[in-house]
């Protein structure tokens, strides 16, 4: 009996000792000394802090699994136990951001920032997210661009290229540059390194190449001013054939300059020597020419830039300074810009419903609807002659300067001041100490930054570079996408069963057996109808759906249901809404349009619609297609839906994957391990800081 009392007293004393362990011992919990959870007034580890650390650890793991709602609940529980811990506020904001509730995310980040947490990095994140919510990030004709950096034709005493005249960006971030001086077609990466060179056809080199365009079939076409011919190359820069020859007849050219193509795949080239526009079919056969004096039109004097929009041909004239309009038959139809609008216009490229014109040392944009002209940039008073300006995949404008032998990369001023928006989206530590990281890089306007190389990144743990750093891959190169098709089950869709069947079958066929196809029916209550290989839906029929037609369909819940499994799938993913394009009453009663758009964008999911009838979609669906990188299609359009999956795969994705070997001690998996990432590109940069947990031991 005495022994039992003694043991019980010993056990009680031992428990009290555990509650009064010095703070230095309690560092074995989740957080390092720098970010340690708050202790009680005497510095001991309380029961609250223990529970809070467990909730926090589980929340981080749920976040990296893509379970953002679960993560929010766990972080809220952790915050209840440890209300003064700002790192939990930061993570709670991240979870709200990825779930689409950007307003709630900002509230938590601002609260943490006001308490002194996060420093300039958190302040910059708050500012960027606010800017995205309060502005339209599409191209505006009044936007001003300034030089971010440039690629010079000379490096030290080495000549790399001279007299660049035309530039053509690729979707992988590389850019083709046509060089008049060195008679070459070169390809450069985003860091300005030349990765390919072409002198033209073997035994028949370029002879003063002047313009370069990409044709609808993916091939590239080059005009050769002194060679009096057009040269065709494949998408890799390999010569295919040449057509056109010197002369004055149909199919002849003398000093061909700028190029364009219409919806019929006919090719237009401004002809300097013949003072006209020559027209060829897609195979290079001469069709006709136009631009001579006719009744009501004095004729072209010095045709230069040319572009096609809605099958209207626009031609700039260097002598008159005007831009003229013609139909596809070459008939003059009027002026877009009157004479002397420009001093000496050269190339004219189409961008987002505007014509971008180079004029000596200026770049202008023309509103096609009104003919209004806006200045986008100028190179100042130094000797300069810009010849081509086009947008690249990363939201910049690339400009060739014939005089200075440079290719300028122009960006909006806020881009230069704020840098990149970098997010560590996922950390997989299941094979610790090997760790895999998914990193997303965007500009301030939510556009993905593609084409970055391993030397553009730096990963550190506790500010020390990680070991065994390896670049695992880039999502923009992926040729596979996961797709969820939402089938409209509203009463508006009744009677369009055959059109729906056609759409789903064509989408499944276009996936070529790659990726995962899911089908969700949007009825009164959305249902997941199918998940599996696209080949399993090649015989899809609306009759097999479990969800009946309804007068009220919760489209918002259907979109969330469709999006959730895509988050942890392929890096490229999309939702395709197939149906009438009409929305029922209460379609967005649970989730607002803005929050849905944020949820999709913040998880790199595009939303497109396929309409089963003629006309346009209701404004809610149109908004989501426009707010995400999606498109609208008509099920019976002439070209069919075979390109819908290609359009999804071609969307830029700024997600990069890395692996490394961690050197940090895990305390049996209970310690929060910090990770930092920095991205550099020329004079722009961005960074993110986060953390993770190793598996419990």
């Amino acid at each position: 009996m005495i022994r039992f009392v003694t043991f019980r007293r010993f056990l009680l004393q031992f428990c009290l000792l555990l509650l009064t362990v010095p703070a230095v011992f309690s560092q074995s919990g989740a957080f390092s000394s720098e970010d340690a959870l708050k202790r009680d007034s005497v510095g001991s580890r309380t029961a609250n802090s223990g529970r809070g650390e467990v909730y926090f650890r589980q929340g981080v793991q749920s976040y990296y699994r893509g379970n953002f709602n679960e993560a929010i609940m766990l972080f809220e529980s952790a915050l209840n136990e440890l209300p003064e811990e700002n790192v939990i506020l930061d993570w709670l904001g991240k979870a709200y951001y990825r779930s689409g509730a950007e307003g709630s995310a900002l509230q938590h980040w601002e609260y943490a920032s006001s308490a002194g947490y996060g420093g300039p990095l958190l302040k910059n994140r708050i500012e960027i997210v606010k800017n995205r919510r309060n502005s339209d990030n599409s191209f505006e004709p009044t936007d001003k661009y300034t030089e971010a950096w440039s690629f010079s034709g000379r490096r030290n005493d080495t000549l790399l290229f001279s007299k660049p005249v035309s530039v053509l960006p690729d979707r992988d971030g590389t850019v083709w540059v046509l060089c008049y001086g060195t008679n070459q077609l070169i390809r450069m990466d985003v860091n300005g390194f030349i990765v390919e060179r072409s002198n033209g056809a073997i035994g028949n080199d370029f002879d003063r190449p002047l313009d370069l365009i990409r044709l609808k079939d993916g091939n590239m076409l080059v005009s050769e001013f002194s060679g009096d011919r057009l040269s065709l190359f494949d998408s890799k820069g390999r010569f295919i054939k040449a057509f056109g020859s010197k002369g004055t007849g149909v199919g002849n050219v003398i000093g061909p300059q700028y190029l364009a193509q219409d919806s019929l795949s006919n090719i237009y080239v401004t002809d300097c020597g013949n003072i006209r526009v020559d027209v060829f079919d897609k195979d290079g056969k001469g069709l006709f020419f136009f631009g001579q004096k006719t009744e009501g039109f004095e004729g072209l004097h010095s045709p230069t830039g040319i572009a096609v929009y809605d099958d209207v041909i626009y031609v700039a004239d260097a002598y008159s300074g005007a831009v003229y309009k013609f139909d596809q038959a070459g008939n003059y139809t009027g002026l877009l810009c009157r004479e002397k609008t420009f001093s000496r216009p050269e190339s004219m490229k189409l961008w987002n419903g505007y014509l971008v014109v180079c004029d000596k040392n200026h770049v202008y944009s023309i509103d096609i609807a009104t003919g209004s002209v806006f200045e986008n940039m100028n190179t100042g008073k130094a000797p300069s002659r810009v010849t081509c300006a086009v947008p690249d995949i990363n939201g910049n404008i690339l400009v060739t300067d014939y005089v200075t032998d440079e290719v300028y990369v122009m960006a909006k001023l806020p881009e230069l001041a704020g840098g990149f928006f970098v997010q560590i989206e996922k950390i997989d530590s299941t094979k610790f100490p090997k760790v895999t990281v998914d990193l997303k890089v965007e500009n301030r306007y939510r556009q993905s930054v593609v084409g970055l190389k391993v030397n553009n990144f730096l990963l550190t743990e506790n500010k020390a570079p990680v070991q065994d750093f390896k670049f695992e891959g880039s999502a923009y190169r992926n040729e596979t996408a996961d797709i969820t098709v939402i089938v409209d089950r509203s009463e508006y869709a009744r009677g369009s069963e055959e059109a729906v069947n056609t759409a789903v079958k064509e989408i499944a066929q276009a996936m070529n057996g790659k990726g995962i196809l899911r089908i969700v029916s949007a009825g009164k209550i959305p249902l997941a109808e199918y998940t599996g290989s696209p080949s399993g839906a090649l015989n899809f029929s609306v009759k097999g759906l479990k969800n009946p037609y309804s007068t009220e369909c919760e489209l918002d819940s259907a979109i969330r249901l469709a999006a959730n499994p895509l988050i942890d799938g392929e890096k490229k993913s999309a939702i395709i809404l197939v149906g009438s394009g009409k929305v029922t009453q209460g379609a967005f009663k649970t989730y607002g349009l803005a929050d849905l758009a944020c949820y999709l964008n913040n998880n790199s999911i595009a939303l497109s619609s396929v309409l089963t009838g003629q006309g346009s979609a209701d404004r809610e669906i149109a908004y989501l297609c426009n707010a995400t990188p999606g498109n609208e299609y008509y099920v019976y359009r002439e070209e069919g839906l075979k390109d819908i999956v290609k359009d999804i795969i071609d969307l830029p994705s700024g997600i990069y994957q890395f692996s490394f070997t961690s050197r940090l001690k895990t305390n049996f998996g209970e310690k929060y391990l910090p990770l930092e990432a920095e991205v550099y590109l020329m004079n722009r940069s961005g960074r993110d800081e986060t953390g993770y947990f190793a598996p419990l031991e």
Side-chain angles (χ1 to χ4, degrees):
M1 184 67 178
I2 296 175
R3 288 179 180 176
F4 176 77
V5 172
T6 303
F7 175 77
R8 185 171 62 181
R9 184 179 295 118
F10 168 78
L11 184 62
L12 179 60
Q13 290 174 342
F14 179 76
C15 291
L16 290 173
L17 178 64
L18 287 179
L19 292 176
T20 57
V21 173
V24 66
F25 179 78
S26 69
Q27 302 272 320
S28 62
F31 291 83
S32 65
S33 58
E34 182 179 353
D35 296 310
L37 295 174
K38 297 292 185 289
R39 313 299 175 186
D40 64 9
S41 58
V42 295
S44 62
R45 186 173 188 269
T46 66
N48 284 358
S49 67
R51 287 193 298 269
E53 289 178 4
V54 171
Y55 290 140
F56 178 76
R57 184 182 190 281
Q58 293 172 342
V60 171
Q61 292 172 324
S62 293
Y63 178 91
Y64 287 140
R65 288 194 300 267
N67 298 328
F68 304 123
N69 289 338
E70 180 180 86
I72 288 171
M73 290 188 292
L74 288 165
F75 290 140
E76 293 279 12
S77 297
L79 200 60
N80 285 335
E81 302 292 345
L82 301 156
E84 296 182 4
E85 192 55 55
N86 291 316
V87 68
I88 301 175
L89 280 173
D90 185 19
W91 273 93
L92 187 54
K94 291 179 182 179
Y96 273 120
Y97 177 82
R98 294 291 297 277
S99 68
E102 289 186 349
S104 297
L106 287 169
Q107 288 179 356
H108 289 86
W109 286 336
E110 287 177 330
Y111 188 82
S113 180
S114 65
Y117 175 86
L121 179 61
L122 182 56
K123 287 183 171 65
N124 185 59
R125 186 197 306 164
I126 292 169
E127 190 269 330
I128 290 176
V129 174
K130 281 185 174 180
N131 179 69
R132 289 177 172 182
R133 289 167 57 82
N134 296 329
S135 64
D136 180 4
N137 296 325
S138 61
F139 170 71
E140 292 292 337
T142 55
D143 285 344
K144 293 285 188 178
Y145 285 76
T146 188
E147 182 181 343
W149 61 85
S150 67
F151 303 133
S152 176
R154 291 187 178 274
R155 185 169 298 156
N156 298 324
D157 295 328
T158 303
L159 177 67
L160 303 178
F161 59 85
S162 73
K163 301 192 184 310
V165 285
S166 188
V167 62
L168 181 65
D170 257 337
R171 69 182 183 92
D172 63 356
T174 60
V175 56
W176 296 93
V177 181
L178 196 62
C179 305
Y180 187 91
T182 44
N183 284 313
Q184 286 185 325
L185 175 63
I186 63 174
R187 193 179 195 180
M188 303 193 322
D189 66 15
V190 293
N191 296 296
F193 294 107
I194 297 174
V195 296
E196 288 185 51
R197 287 183 185 270
S198 173
N199 295 314
I202 297 176
N204 196 7
D205 291 353
F206 283 129
D207 194 355
R208 300 308 180 197
L210 190 67
D211 195 22
L212 169 68
I213 64 169
R214 180 173 288 108
L215 302 176
K216 294 183 181 301
D217 60 6
N219 291 329
M220 299 185 295
L221 187 64
V222 174
S223 63
E224 297 186 53
F225 184 79
S226 295
D228 298 319
R229 63 178 180 252
L230 306 179
S231 295
L232 187 66
F233 296 80
D234 68 13
S235 61
K236 304 296 184 182
R238 294 172 296 213
F239 178 78
I240 299 175
K241 67 177 183 178
F243 58 89
S245 59
K246 186 173 183 177
T248 59
V250 173
N252 297 142
V253 293
I254 300 177
Q257 298 189 90
Y258 296 99
L259 303 162
Q261 189 176 34
D262 67 10
S263 64
L264 300 175
S265 296
N266 290 334
I267 297 163
Y268 299 79
V269 53
T270 52
D271 188 328
C272 176
N274 287 315
I275 315 177
R276 68 191 189 191
V277 176
D278 299 305
V279 185
F280 298 84
D281 69 11
K282 63 180 180 180
D283 297 317
K285 178 184 176 181
L287 298 177
F288 61 95
F289 51 80
F290 65 88
Q292 299 87 351
K293 183 176 181 179
T294 59
E295 185 177 352
F297 177 54
E298 293 185 357
L300 297 171
H301 298 285
S302 181
T304 51
I306 187 168
V308 180
Y309 180 74
D310 275 351
D311 288 332
V312 176
I313 294 86
Y314 298 90
V315 181
D317 194 293
Y319 176 80
S320 67
V323 177
Y324 303 103
K325 298 189 294 183
F326 300 86
D327 64 20
Q328 287 174 291
N331 299 308
Y332 173 71
T333 59
L335 280 167
L336 177 65
C337 299
R338 63 186 181 180
E339 295 180 357
K340 299 183 180 180
T341 298
F342 303 104
S343 298
R344 186 176 176 79
E346 300 209 34
S347 78
M348 186 163 59
K349 304 295 183 180
L350 183 66
W351 183 20
N352 229 12
Y354 296 88
L355 297 176
V356 180
V357 182
C358 291
D359 187 24
K360 289 189 174 179
N361 65 333
H362 292 79
V363 174
Y364 299 100
S365 58
I366 307 172
D367 187 334
I368 293 177
T370 65
S372 300
V373 178
F374 307 90
E375 183 185 76
N376 297 116
M377 62 152 283
N378 70 76
T379 58
K381 296 181 179 180
S384 177
R385 180 184 168 192
V386 295
T387 55
C388 182
V390 293
D392 73 357
I393 197 71
N394 291 328
N396 307 306
I397 296 181
L398 304 178
V399 182
T400 54
D401 193 322
Y402 181 88
V403 171
T404 65
D405 290 340
E406 288 182 285
V407 178
Y408 304 123
V409 181
M410 314 295 291
K412 299 177 184 179
L413 188 58
E415 280 289 289
L416 302 182
F420 296 127
F421 188 58
V422 179
Q423 301 167 82
I424 298 173
E425 290 204 324
K426 184 177 181 179
I427 299 179
D428 182 359
S429 60
T430 54
K431 297 180 180 180
F432 192 87
K434 181 180 179 180
V435 180
T436 304
V437 179
D438 288 355
L439 188 68
K440 186 176 182 180
V441 186
E442 297 176 311
N443 66 16
R444 293 170 63 86
Y445 301 97
R446 214 189 287 273
Q447 293 171 299
S448 293
V449 177
V450 305
L452 300 177
K453 309 298 181 183
V454 65
N455 55 300
N456 296 115
F457 297 89
L458 174 65
L459 262 62
T460 58
E461 286 185 306
N462 263 343
K463 309 300 186 293
V466 298
Q467 67 177 4
D468 302 327
F469 181 54
K470 184 179 179 182
F471 187 57
E472 297 288 351
S474 312
Y476 67 85
R477 294 185 178 275
N478 289 10
E479 297 296 329
T480 301
D482 286 348
I483 295 175
T484 303
V485 174
I486 299 178
V487 178
D488 180 9
R489 298 298 283 167
S490 72
E491 287 292 340
Y492 296 117
R494 191 185 291 275
S496 60
E497 288 80 3
E498 188 58 38
V500 173
N501 291 341
T502 298
V504 175
K505 290 176 183 178
E506 288 196 28
I507 292 167
Q509 187 175 19
M511 293 179 71
N512 293 321
K514 299 178 181 179
I516 296 176
L517 175 65
R518 297 177 176 85
I519 299 175
V520 170
S521 56
K524 185 173 181 60
I525 299 175
L527 292 177
E529 303 275 1
Y530 174 81
T531 298
S533 169
S535 59
L538 292 176
N539 296 316
F540 170 84
S541 174
V542 172
K543 294 179 181 179
L545 297 177
K546 305 181 187 69
N547 225 346
Y549 288 108
S550 175
T551 56
E552 293 187 10
C553 294
E554 295 185 4
L555 189 56
D556 55 353
S557 298
I559 292 173
R560 295 284 296 207
L561 179 63
N564 290 342
L566 296 176
I567 294 171
D568 203 31
E570 287 286 342
K571 303 307 178 188
K572 289 186 176 180
S573 59
I575 296 170
I576 303 175
L577 176 59
V578 177
S580 63
K582 307 293 182 183
V583 299
T584 66
Q585 184 177 359
F588 296 94
K589 64 182 180 182
T590 304
Y591 301 97
L593 286 171
D595 285 348
L596 279 174
C598 291
Y599 182 58
L600 298 175
N601 282 322
N602 295 345
N603 293 287
S604 304
I605 301 172
L607 186 142
S608 295
S609 67
V610 174
L611 301 180
T612 56
Q614 295 282 10
S616 57
D618 283 354
R619 61 181 182 86
E620 294 88 348
I621 295 175
Y623 169 83
L624 290 174
C625 290
N626 291 330
T628 67
N631 292 300
E632 292 186 6
Y633 304 85
Y634 172 52
V635 64
Y636 293 125
R637 66 181 190 156
E638 185 177 347
E639 61 269 46
L641 298 176
K642 62 180 182 298
D643 291 334
I644 190 168
V645 175
K646 181 180 182 299
D647 290 346
I648 292 168
I649 291 174
D650 283 349
L651 290 173
S653 175
I655 299 175
Y656 300 83
Q657 190 172 83
F658 307 90
S659 66
F660 65 91
T661 302
S662 177
R663 290 177 287 199
L664 300 180
K665 295 182 179 179
T666 71
N667 188 35
F668 304 104
E670 293 184 352
K671 190 174 182 180
Y672 181 70
L673 308 178
L675 180 69
E676 306 88 33
E678 297 186 41
V679 180
Y680 304 93
L681 179 60
M682 299 300 180
N683 60 352
R684 295 169 66 182
S685 64
R687 65 178 278 112
D688 191 22
E689 295 180 356
T690 188
Y692 66 99
F693 290 90
L696 288 171
E697 299 179 24

